[in-house]
Amino acid sequence: MQINRTASAHWTGGLKDGKGLISTQSGALKDYPYGFASRFEGVPGTNPEELIGAAHAGCFTMALSLILGEAGFTAEHMETSAKVTLESVEGGFAITAIHLSLSGRIPGADEATFTEFANKAKAGCPISKALAAVPITLDVKLA
């Protein structure tokens, strides 16, 4: 089985004065603005790092749901945030870390079991695998 998803970016202008638009195949993002200011200066708009974070949080949480289900658990709710760190390094900028923060309510599961399954999901989700060059950390809280 092979699944292909697409996204696109359009850019006009230089790095600092330019403007970009990002779109996804699903339409979840359609000509959504991004640029230097939204990436480096906190101006409204998106940026590649927050999109990676959203993808990683979503993938990880789905993978954890699968692992829980295989063990006979069903999440009442789970919340995952992903903090993607972009830093200036020798030769330019790089993503140097990703930190996942998970909280959830899983009837019948204890903290140790939830943490074990979360670590398994962190290692096994496709986005974690794609980002394997970046250190990925995780904290887990059972509600």
Side-chain angles (χ1 to χ4, degrees):
M1 176 165 123
Q2 182 181 42
I3 299 169
N4 296 298
R5 303 285 187 234
T6 61
S8 62
H10 172 83
W11 189 265
T12 305
L15 175 63
K16 288 191 176 184
D17 66 343
K19 296 191 185 317
L21 300 171
I22 291 178
S23 297
T24 58
Q25 175 183 347
S26 68
L29 296 175
K30 175 107 175 100
D31 296 332
Y32 200 85
Y34 79 106
F36 185 89
S38 64
R39 192 172 195 185
F40 296 104
E41 299 171 350
V43 171
T46 193
N47 57 73
E49 292 73 35
E50 88 174 355
L51 295 172
I52 287 171
H56 200 180
C59 182
F60 163 78
T61 308
M62 286 181 76
L64 180 52
S65 179
L66 170 66
I67 292 165
L68 288 167
E70 290 173 344
F73 297 100
T74 301
E76 190 173 294
H77 69 84
M78 292 188 288
E79 299 288 331
T80 303
S81 66
K83 178 177 150 185
V84 177
T85 302
L86 178 70
E87 291 184 288
S88 178
V89 298
E90 186 176 326
F93 281 86
I95 293 174
T96 58
I98 299 172
H99 182 73
L100 301 171
S101 292
L102 166 69
S103 66
R105 181 167 172 81
I106 316 300
D110 60 23
E111 188 100 22
T113 301
F114 190 43
T115 299
E116 174 190 342
F117 291 160
N119 279 302
K120 186 176 177 184
K122 178 180 76 96
C125 97
I127 300 294
S128 288
K129 291 177 182 179
L131 299 172
V134 177
I136 301 168
T137 56
L138 169 67
D139 66 62
V140 178
K141 179 182 172 194
L142 191 60

